[in-house]
Amino acid sequence: MKSKKIKSLIEEEEEIGFGFRRKRINNRYGLFDEKDRMVFPCTFLYIGEFDSDGYLWLNYRNKCRLMDRNGRFCQKSRFERVGSFVDGLCWVKKKGLWGRIDREGNTVTPFIYQGIHAVRAILVIGEKPSVARAIYPVLGATERKNGY
């Protein structure tokens, strides 16, 4: 049984899927299993929610890594910012530029984009809205000078 002192330190506690909970203590997040055993201590800047395939993003020292529900990290790379996986691909920011990776961390779209914008598009065929992404390539000096 937890002591009242530890319970009072918990600032936030939330179910994030597959029997796991994230807890925030001293503005840092930790990961706990269904029996309330600590999987990761409260050292992360943020822990996301598991997606339907059983993956989540963890942010440690401003670098994000993808983890599966078995506690294994899925790629060696660490990213500055991350999006959500859509159809097995995800937009991620590395060294100031955006690109797209698959779940294994393989680059699918090269890291050449300065920014991305989420655009909601409703397809005529189908029952659910789909998310499309508009991408903006890195502009060279000539384009910048001309106002692009």
Side-chain angles (χ1 to χ4, degrees):
M1 183 158 184
K2 287 185 199 173
S3 72
K4 290 182 182 181
K5 183 178 180 181
I6 291 175
K7 279 188 174 183
S8 68
L9 293 175
I10 297 172
E11 300 162 354
E12 179 184 332
E13 185 173 351
E14 186 176 10
E15 170 71 33
I16 58 172
F18 296 95
F20 290 93
R21 302 186 70 73
R22 72 174 163 226
K23 297 181 184 184
R24 187 177 69 182
I25 298 174
N26 293 328
N27 214 25
R28 293 286 187 261
Y29 291 87
L31 188 64
F32 296 80
D33 68 11
E34 67 277 352
K35 295 183 179 178
D36 211 26
R37 294 178 297 207
M38 184 185 312
V39 178
F40 290 118
C42 294
T43 57
F44 293 90
L45 293 173
Y46 189 72
I47 296 176
E49 293 183 14
F50 281 99
D51 64 16
S52 59
D53 295 324
Y55 295 90
L56 65 75
W57 287 106
L58 299 123
N59 184 330
Y60 181 70
R61 295 184 180 174
N62 288 322
K63 297 293 179 185
C64 300
R65 293 197 63 194
L66 184 66
M67 186 189 83
D68 68 15
R69 65 178 163 227
N70 297 316
R72 291 185 303 248
F73 289 101
C74 301
Q75 36 38 21
K76 295 177 183 175
S77 297
R78 292 176 173 89
F79 304 101
E80 298 160 29
R81 305 257 334 254
V82 295
S84 299
F85 277 92
V86 176
D87 297 328
L89 302 175
C90 178
W91 286 102
V92 295
K93 187 176 184 182
K94 185 175 183 178
K95 296 183 181 177
L97 298 174
W98 289 88
R100 211 163 41 153
I101 62 166
D102 60 17
R103 291 208 188 271
E104 288 76 41
N106 300 315
T107 301
V108 176
T109 303
F111 289 87
I112 59 172
Y113 300 99
Q114 288 181 333
I116 60 169
H117 279 290
V119 178
R120 298 229 179 250
I122 298 175
L123 301 175
V124 175
I125 301 171
E127 299 176 11
K128 297 181 179 179
S130 178
V131 176
R133 301 220 185 252
I135 52 182
Y136 298 94
V138 174
L139 301 174
T142 308
E143 289 93 348
R144 280 194 206 116
K145 188 168 73 177
N146 293 332
Y148 291 96

